[in-house]
Amino acid sequence: MKLHWSPRSPFVRKVMVAAHELGLADRITTIRTVVAMTKPARELLQENPLGKIPTLVLEDGTILYDSQVIIEYLESLTERKLIPPAGPARWQELRRHALANGFLDMLILWRNERERTPASQALLDAFRLKTDAVLPALEAEIGDIAAGPVGLAQITIAIAGAYMDFRFPDLGWRSRCPKLDAWQRGFEARPSMQATAIVDA
Ligand SMILES: N[C@@H](CCC(=O)N[C@@H](CS)C(=O)NCC(=O)O)C(=O)O
């Protein structure tokens, strides 16, 4: 299978970390695809009309996006699960994933906005206010989250943490969230994270 990929994309990294955790990384061929919200990649639009990466192309031509759908597909190829199949644990995992994933979406919008001239101060303020709500929420929950197996939520939280280090060092999230910081350090030592480090290339 082929994955539209970039070394800087946190959502691509999320998929690749999941693929490593599931033991499937060597079945994925990466295709370097350059995307930007202001410059849609025209060739990619034919496979994913949203023009976003990650986009996965299967051997039979089936196309899958977005990152959660791709991860659920990868999961279907293995016994190992990243999302509990049923019950309260499933809803908890999906809700925690939605928190981290929505946060990541917002960080990307924030980065775009702060590079725009003139930026909307109302949007910048709203992004900061939401970040000031999300970080304590993650800090409060990380103990319970860490007590469970590695899954979709843990992977996405770690990707959001690494993305903040990469694009928002000024947020100082690690000193604001000591429990999250300690957990992140442990998670970053996993081979799946080591094999997928973000490269600014
Ligand atoms: N919800 C999507 C988000 C993917 C996304 O935002 N990807 C960014 C790169 S990290 C992208 O392709 N941006 C180009 C664009 O929005 O036009 C997912 O989970 O896969």
Side-chain angles (χ1 to χ4, degrees), residues 6 8-12 14-15 35-41 44 50-55 65-70 97 101 105 108 112 163:
S6 151
R8 282 181 303 216
S9 160
F11 287 101
V12 166
K14 174 185 164 192
V15 163
V35 294
M37 233 175 239
T38 49
K39 281 190 212 124
L44 180 60
L50 296 171
K52 293 193 182 216
I53 55 171
T55 295
Y65 48 85
D66 59 5
S67 58
Q68 181 177 348
V69 175
I70 295 171
H97 166 258
N101 209 60
D105 273 330
I108 289 175
N112 286 340
Y163 186 71

mmCIF file of all heavy atoms in Angstrom, residues 6 8-12 14-15 35-41 44 50-55 65-70 97 101 105 108 112 163, ligand 1:
data_model
loop_
_atom_site.group_PDB
_atom_site.id
_atom_site.type_symbol
_atom_site.label_atom_id
_atom_site.label_comp_id
_atom_site.label_asym_id
_atom_site.label_seq_id
_atom_site.Cartn_x
_atom_site.Cartn_y
_atom_site.Cartn_z
ATOM 1 N N SER A 6 4.551 13.099 4.285
ATOM 2 C CA SER A 6 5.524 14.191 4.406
ATOM 3 C C SER A 6 6.203 14.026 5.759
ATOM 4 O O SER A 6 5.562 13.614 6.732
ATOM 5 C CB SER A 6 4.807 15.543 4.326
ATOM 6 O OG SER A 6 5.526 16.506 5.071
ATOM 7 N N ARG A 8 7.021 16.208 7.768
ATOM 8 C CA ARG A 8 6.645 17.256 8.729
ATOM 9 C C ARG A 8 5.206 17.127 9.203
ATOM 10 O O ARG A 8 4.799 17.843 10.108
ATOM 11 C CB ARG A 8 6.793 18.642 8.077
ATOM 12 C CG ARG A 8 8.213 19.123 8.010
ATOM 13 C CD ARG A 8 8.248 20.476 7.382
ATOM 14 N NE ARG A 8 7.647 20.445 6.057
ATOM 15 C CZ ARG A 8 8.063 21.158 5.023
ATOM 16 N NH1 ARG A 8 9.086 21.961 5.163
ATOM 17 N NH2 ARG A 8 7.466 21.084 3.860
ATOM 18 N N SER A 9 4.427 16.269 8.565
ATOM 19 C CA SER A 9 2.994 16.231 8.871
ATOM 20 C C SER A 9 2.705 15.420 10.134
ATOM 21 O O SER A 9 2.993 14.222 10.197
ATOM 22 C CB SER A 9 2.238 15.604 7.695
ATOM 23 O OG SER A 9 0.975 15.150 8.135
ATOM 24 N N PRO A 10 2.092 16.043 11.144
ATOM 25 C CA PRO A 10 1.779 15.277 12.353
ATOM 26 C C PRO A 10 0.728 14.190 12.114
ATOM 27 O O PRO A 10 0.768 13.135 12.750
ATOM 28 C CB PRO A 10 1.263 16.339 13.329
ATOM 29 C CG PRO A 10 0.859 17.508 12.487
ATOM 30 C CD PRO A 10 1.723 17.466 11.265
ATOM 31 N N PHE A 11 -0.218 14.433 11.194
ATOM 32 C CA PHE A 11 -1.240 13.411 10.950
ATOM 33 C C PHE A 11 -0.652 12.202 10.221
ATOM 34 O O PHE A 11 -1.066 11.072 10.442
ATOM 35 C CB PHE A 11 -2.425 14.010 10.184
ATOM 36 C CG PHE A 11 -3.279 14.901 11.035
ATOM 37 C CD1 PHE A 11 -3.174 16.276 10.970
ATOM 38 C CD2 PHE A 11 -4.185 14.356 11.935
ATOM 39 C CE1 PHE A 11 -3.957 17.097 11.760
ATOM 40 C CE2 PHE A 11 -4.983 15.167 12.735
ATOM 41 C CZ PHE A 11 -4.858 16.548 12.655
ATOM 42 N N VAL A 12 0.322 12.459 9.338
ATOM 43 C CA VAL A 12 1.025 11.339 8.705
ATOM 44 C C VAL A 12 1.811 10.577 9.768
ATOM 45 O O VAL A 12 1.805 9.343 9.814
ATOM 46 C CB VAL A 12 1.988 11.863 7.608
ATOM 47 C CG1 VAL A 12 2.961 10.781 7.189
ATOM 48 C CG2 VAL A 12 1.187 12.351 6.401
ATOM 49 N N LYS A 14 1.160 10.294 12.856
ATOM 50 C CA LYS A 14 0.201 9.521 13.668
ATOM 51 C C LYS A 14 -0.065 8.157 13.024
ATOM 52 O O LYS A 14 -0.039 7.114 13.687
ATOM 53 C CB LYS A 14 -1.088 10.349 13.773
ATOM 54 C CG LYS A 14 -2.250 9.696 14.451
ATOM 55 C CD LYS A 14 -3.461 10.635 14.338
ATOM 56 C CE LYS A 14 -4.758 9.957 14.638
ATOM 57 N NZ LYS A 14 -5.927 10.797 14.259
ATOM 58 N N VAL A 15 -0.308 8.173 11.704
ATOM 59 C CA VAL A 15 -0.559 6.918 10.984
ATOM 60 C C VAL A 15 0.685 6.019 11.015
ATOM 61 O O VAL A 15 0.583 4.806 11.240
ATOM 62 C CB VAL A 15 -0.985 7.212 9.525
ATOM 63 C CG1 VAL A 15 -0.851 5.987 8.645
ATOM 64 C CG2 VAL A 15 -2.411 7.729 9.502
ATOM 65 N N VAL A 35 1.938 19.343 0.611
ATOM 66 C CA VAL A 35 0.620 19.994 0.698
ATOM 67 C C VAL A 35 0.741 21.275 1.511
ATOM 68 O O VAL A 35 1.604 21.402 2.354
ATOM 69 C CB VAL A 35 -0.439 19.095 1.380
ATOM 70 C CG1 VAL A 35 -0.760 17.876 0.563
ATOM 71 C CG2 VAL A 35 -0.020 18.723 2.788
ATOM 72 N N ALA A 36 -0.147 22.191 1.215
ATOM 73 C CA ALA A 36 -0.263 23.401 2.029
ATOM 74 C C ALA A 36 -1.684 23.889 1.838
ATOM 75 O O ALA A 36 -2.242 23.756 0.741
ATOM 76 C CB ALA A 36 0.726 24.471 1.576
ATOM 77 N N MET A 37 -2.290 24.412 2.898
ATOM 78 C CA MET A 37 -3.680 24.845 2.812
ATOM 79 C C MET A 37 -3.867 25.879 1.692
ATOM 80 O O MET A 37 -4.897 25.919 1.043
ATOM 81 C CB MET A 37 -4.097 25.438 4.146
ATOM 82 C CG MET A 37 -5.357 24.813 4.688
ATOM 83 S SD MET A 37 -5.711 25.431 6.316
ATOM 84 C CE MET A 37 -5.696 23.916 7.236
ATOM 85 N N THR A 38 -2.830 26.690 1.458
ATOM 86 C CA THR A 38 -2.943 27.741 0.447
ATOM 87 C C THR A 38 -2.533 27.274 -0.946
ATOM 88 O O THR A 38 -2.718 28.000 -1.916
ATOM 89 C CB THR A 38 -2.038 28.934 0.832
ATOM 90 O OG1 THR A 38 -0.754 28.413 1.158
ATOM 91 C CG2 THR A 38 -2.606 29.708 1.992
ATOM 92 N N LYS A 39 -1.912 26.074 -1.022
ATOM 93 C CA LYS A 39 -1.486 25.568 -2.334
ATOM 94 C C LYS A 39 -1.847 24.093 -2.449
ATOM 95 O O LYS A 39 -0.998 23.218 -2.268
ATOM 96 C CB LYS A 39 0.046 25.697 -2.458
ATOM 97 C CG LYS A 39 0.503 27.098 -2.801
ATOM 98 C CD LYS A 39 2.004 27.060 -3.138
ATOM 99 C CE LYS A 39 2.646 28.368 -2.730
ATOM 100 N NZ LYS A 39 3.751 28.277 -1.822
ATOM 101 N N PRO A 40 -3.111 23.794 -2.743
ATOM 102 C CA PRO A 40 -3.501 22.382 -2.837
ATOM 103 C C PRO A 40 -2.673 21.629 -3.879
ATOM 104 O O PRO A 40 -2.370 22.190 -4.943
ATOM 105 C CB PRO A 40 -4.972 22.461 -3.255
ATOM 106 C CG PRO A 40 -5.423 23.832 -2.875
ATOM 107 C CD PRO A 40 -4.216 24.719 -2.988
ATOM 108 N N ALA A 41 -2.286 20.408 -3.563
ATOM 109 C CA ALA A 41 -1.527 19.576 -4.499
ATOM 110 C C ALA A 41 -2.523 18.996 -5.506
ATOM 111 O O ALA A 41 -3.325 18.128 -5.166
ATOM 112 C CB ALA A 41 -0.805 18.463 -3.743
ATOM 113 N N LEU A 44 -2.995 15.237 -5.960
ATOM 114 C CA LEU A 44 -3.607 14.575 -4.800
ATOM 115 C C LEU A 44 -5.133 14.740 -4.787
ATOM 116 O O LEU A 44 -5.854 13.848 -4.337
ATOM 117 C CB LEU A 44 -2.984 15.151 -3.508
ATOM 118 C CG LEU A 44 -3.490 14.577 -2.177
ATOM 119 C CD1 LEU A 44 -3.226 13.068 -2.090
ATOM 120 C CD2 LEU A 44 -2.838 15.287 -0.997
ATOM 121 N N LEU A 50 -10.129 16.421 -0.690
ATOM 122 C CA LEU A 50 -9.810 17.391 0.359
ATOM 123 C C LEU A 50 -8.356 17.834 0.275
ATOM 124 O O LEU A 50 -7.949 18.783 0.956
ATOM 125 C CB LEU A 50 -10.089 16.786 1.745
ATOM 126 C CG LEU A 50 -11.566 16.450 2.005
ATOM 127 C CD1 LEU A 50 -11.702 15.660 3.303
ATOM 128 C CD2 LEU A 50 -12.404 17.719 2.068
ATOM 129 N N GLY A 51 -7.571 17.134 -0.535
ATOM 130 C CA GLY A 51 -6.169 17.518 -0.730
ATOM 131 C C GLY A 51 -5.328 17.381 0.517
ATOM 132 O O GLY A 51 -4.368 18.134 0.713
ATOM 133 N N LYS A 52 -5.677 16.415 1.371
ATOM 134 C CA LYS A 52 -4.951 16.288 2.644
ATOM 135 C C LYS A 52 -4.141 15.008 2.695
ATOM 136 O O LYS A 52 -4.503 13.998 2.075
ATOM 137 C CB LYS A 52 -5.939 16.301 3.810
ATOM 138 C CG LYS A 52 -6.625 17.650 3.964
ATOM 139 C CD LYS A 52 -7.337 17.745 5.295
ATOM 140 C CE LYS A 52 -8.047 19.073 5.382
ATOM 141 N NZ LYS A 52 -8.058 19.645 6.696
ATOM 142 N N ILE A 53 -3.081 15.070 3.469
ATOM 143 C CA ILE A 53 -2.335 13.869 3.821
ATOM 144 C C ILE A 53 -2.523 13.657 5.325
ATOM 145 O O ILE A 53 -2.707 14.654 6.045
ATOM 146 C CB ILE A 53 -0.842 13.990 3.437
ATOM 147 C CG1 ILE A 53 -0.211 15.231 4.067
ATOM 148 C CG2 ILE A 53 -0.679 14.020 1.936
ATOM 149 C CD1 ILE A 53 1.312 15.306 3.902
ATOM 150 N N PRO A 54 -2.540 12.395 5.758
ATOM 151 C CA PRO A 54 -2.292 11.160 5.032
ATOM 152 C C PRO A 54 -3.468 10.733 4.151
ATOM 153 O O PRO A 54 -4.620 10.885 4.528
ATOM 154 C CB PRO A 54 -2.102 10.134 6.175
ATOM 155 C CG PRO A 54 -2.952 10.665 7.294
ATOM 156 C CD PRO A 54 -2.835 12.158 7.195
ATOM 157 N N THR A 55 -3.108 10.164 2.981
ATOM 158 C CA THR A 55 -4.063 9.487 2.108
ATOM 159 C C THR A 55 -3.415 8.153 1.738
ATOM 160 O O THR A 55 -2.259 8.133 1.318
ATOM 161 C CB THR A 55 -4.344 10.327 0.842
ATOM 162 O OG1 THR A 55 -5.001 11.536 1.225
ATOM 163 C CG2 THR A 55 -5.233 9.587 -0.144
ATOM 164 N N TYR A 65 -8.857 7.824 3.575
ATOM 165 C CA TYR A 65 -8.479 8.974 4.379
ATOM 166 C C TYR A 65 -9.626 9.114 5.355
ATOM 167 O O TYR A 65 -10.717 8.557 5.117
ATOM 168 C CB TYR A 65 -8.277 10.246 3.515
ATOM 169 C CG TYR A 65 -9.378 10.521 2.526
ATOM 170 C CD1 TYR A 65 -10.534 11.220 2.894
ATOM 171 C CD2 TYR A 65 -9.299 10.037 1.216
ATOM 172 C CE1 TYR A 65 -11.555 11.451 1.992
ATOM 173 C CE2 TYR A 65 -10.330 10.267 0.320
ATOM 174 C CZ TYR A 65 -11.449 10.965 0.708
ATOM 175 O OH TYR A 65 -12.469 11.181 -0.182
ATOM 176 N N ASP A 66 -9.534 9.774 6.492
ATOM 177 C CA ASP A 66 -8.396 10.469 7.028
ATOM 178 C C ASP A 66 -7.594 9.561 7.954
ATOM 179 O O ASP A 66 -7.745 8.339 7.865
ATOM 180 C CB ASP A 66 -8.865 11.746 7.730
ATOM 181 C CG ASP A 66 -9.842 11.475 8.873
ATOM 182 O OD1 ASP A 66 -10.106 10.303 9.201
ATOM 183 O OD2 ASP A 66 -10.344 12.441 9.475
ATOM 184 N N SER A 67 -6.805 10.169 8.872
ATOM 185 C CA SER A 67 -5.889 9.356 9.679
ATOM 186 C C SER A 67 -6.625 8.296 10.501
ATOM 187 O O SER A 67 -6.158 7.160 10.610
ATOM 188 C CB SER A 67 -5.031 10.243 10.591
ATOM 189 O OG SER A 67 -5.837 11.023 11.451
ATOM 190 N N GLN A 68 -7.773 8.634 11.064
ATOM 191 C CA GLN A 68 -8.478 7.634 11.885
ATOM 192 C C GLN A 68 -8.964 6.472 11.025
ATOM 193 O O GLN A 68 -8.852 5.311 11.410
ATOM 194 C CB GLN A 68 -9.659 8.272 12.635
ATOM 195 C CG GLN A 68 -10.380 7.243 13.499
ATOM 196 C CD GLN A 68 -11.506 7.819 14.329
ATOM 197 O OE1 GLN A 68 -11.647 9.038 14.447
ATOM 198 N NE2 GLN A 68 -12.308 6.947 14.908
ATOM 199 N N VAL A 69 -9.488 6.793 9.853
ATOM 200 C CA VAL A 69 -9.983 5.734 8.962
ATOM 201 C C VAL A 69 -8.818 4.832 8.539
ATOM 202 O O VAL A 69 -8.930 3.592 8.535
ATOM 203 C CB VAL A 69 -10.677 6.354 7.722
ATOM 204 C CG1 VAL A 69 -11.082 5.287 6.729
ATOM 205 C CG2 VAL A 69 -11.880 7.176 8.155
ATOM 206 N N ILE A 70 -7.685 5.447 8.216
ATOM 207 C CA ILE A 70 -6.515 4.659 7.801
ATOM 208 C C ILE A 70 -6.074 3.753 8.946
ATOM 209 O O ILE A 70 -5.784 2.559 8.747
ATOM 210 C CB ILE A 70 -5.363 5.587 7.357
ATOM 211 C CG1 ILE A 70 -5.763 6.361 6.098
ATOM 212 C CG2 ILE A 70 -4.082 4.787 7.121
ATOM 213 C CD1 ILE A 70 -4.779 7.460 5.691
ATOM 214 N N HIS A 97 -9.348 10.425 21.928
ATOM 215 C CA HIS A 97 -8.743 10.659 20.612
ATOM 216 C C HIS A 97 -9.287 11.961 20.022
ATOM 217 O O HIS A 97 -8.542 12.775 19.484
ATOM 218 C CB HIS A 97 -9.021 9.491 19.664
ATOM 219 C CG HIS A 97 -8.714 9.817 18.238
ATOM 220 N ND1 HIS A 97 -9.690 10.139 17.311
ATOM 221 C CD2 HIS A 97 -7.534 9.943 17.582
ATOM 222 C CE1 HIS A 97 -9.115 10.422 16.149
ATOM 223 N NE2 HIS A 97 -7.811 10.311 16.277
ATOM 224 N N ASN A 101 -6.988 14.903 18.829
ATOM 225 C CA ASN A 101 -7.008 15.127 17.384
ATOM 226 C C ASN A 101 -7.556 16.519 17.042
ATOM 227 O O ASN A 101 -7.027 17.221 16.174
ATOM 228 C CB ASN A 101 -7.894 14.061 16.730
ATOM 229 C CG ASN A 101 -7.465 13.756 15.337
ATOM 230 O OD1 ASN A 101 -6.349 13.322 15.114
ATOM 231 N ND2 ASN A 101 -8.346 14.006 14.383
ATOM 232 N N ASP A 105 -5.711 19.579 15.105
ATOM 233 C CA ASP A 105 -6.337 20.360 14.018
ATOM 234 C C ASP A 105 -6.231 21.852 14.328
ATOM 235 O O ASP A 105 -5.904 22.663 13.458
ATOM 236 C CB ASP A 105 -7.836 20.008 13.906
ATOM 237 C CG ASP A 105 -8.101 18.815 13.017
ATOM 238 O OD1 ASP A 105 -7.328 18.587 12.070
ATOM 239 O OD2 ASP A 105 -9.094 18.101 13.276
ATOM 240 N N ILE A 108 -2.760 23.400 13.978
ATOM 241 C CA ILE A 108 -2.400 23.655 12.573
ATOM 242 C C ILE A 108 -3.063 24.952 12.092
ATOM 243 O O ILE A 108 -2.426 25.784 11.440
ATOM 244 C CB ILE A 108 -2.771 22.442 11.700
ATOM 245 C CG1 ILE A 108 -1.807 21.295 12.022
ATOM 246 C CG2 ILE A 108 -2.727 22.791 10.220
ATOM 247 C CD1 ILE A 108 -2.112 19.993 11.339
ATOM 248 N N ASN A 112 -1.180 28.463 10.889
ATOM 249 C CA ASN A 112 -1.487 29.176 9.630
ATOM 250 C C ASN A 112 -1.880 30.616 9.915
ATOM 251 O O ASN A 112 -1.446 31.539 9.224
ATOM 252 C CB ASN A 112 -2.644 28.485 8.898
ATOM 253 C CG ASN A 112 -2.211 27.184 8.267
ATOM 254 O OD1 ASN A 112 -1.024 26.968 8.045
ATOM 255 N ND2 ASN A 112 -3.149 26.308 7.994
ATOM 256 N N TYR A 163 4.285 17.826 18.226
ATOM 257 C CA TYR A 163 4.014 18.937 17.302
ATOM 258 C C TYR A 163 4.147 20.282 18.030
ATOM 259 O O TYR A 163 4.669 21.258 17.467
ATOM 260 C CB TYR A 163 2.607 18.791 16.691
ATOM 261 C CG TYR A 163 2.339 19.826 15.629
ATOM 262 C CD1 TYR A 163 2.978 19.767 14.391
ATOM 263 C CD2 TYR A 163 1.461 20.884 15.863
ATOM 264 C CE1 TYR A 163 2.747 20.738 13.414
ATOM 265 C CE2 TYR A 163 1.222 21.850 14.899
ATOM 266 C CZ TYR A 163 1.872 21.776 13.673
ATOM 267 O OH TYR A 163 1.651 22.734 12.716
HETATM 268 N N1 LIG B 1 -8.446 15.161 9.658
HETATM 269 C C1 LIG B 1 -7.303 14.895 8.813
HETATM 270 C C2 LIG B 1 -6.311 16.035 8.947
HETATM 271 C C3 LIG B 1 -5.170 15.901 7.987
HETATM 272 C C4 LIG B 1 -4.445 17.218 7.777
HETATM 273 O O1 LIG B 1 -4.873 18.281 8.211
HETATM 274 N N2 LIG B 1 -3.315 17.121 7.075
HETATM 275 C C5 LIG B 1 -2.575 18.307 6.734
HETATM 276 C C6 LIG B 1 -1.081 18.022 6.850
HETATM 277 S S1 LIG B 1 -0.624 17.695 8.510
HETATM 278 C C7 LIG B 1 -2.877 18.651 5.285
HETATM 279 O O2 LIG B 1 -2.933 17.782 4.456
HETATM 280 N N3 LIG B 1 -3.053 19.937 4.992
HETATM 281 C C8 LIG B 1 -3.291 20.421 3.670
HETATM 282 C C9 LIG B 1 -4.626 21.100 3.535
HETATM 283 O O3 LIG B 1 -5.348 21.205 4.537
HETATM 284 O O4 LIG B 1 -4.926 21.538 2.437
HETATM 285 C C10 LIG B 1 -6.672 13.547 9.248
HETATM 286 O O5 LIG B 1 -6.912 13.113 10.381
HETATM 287 O O6 LIG B 1 -5.999 12.900 8.424
#
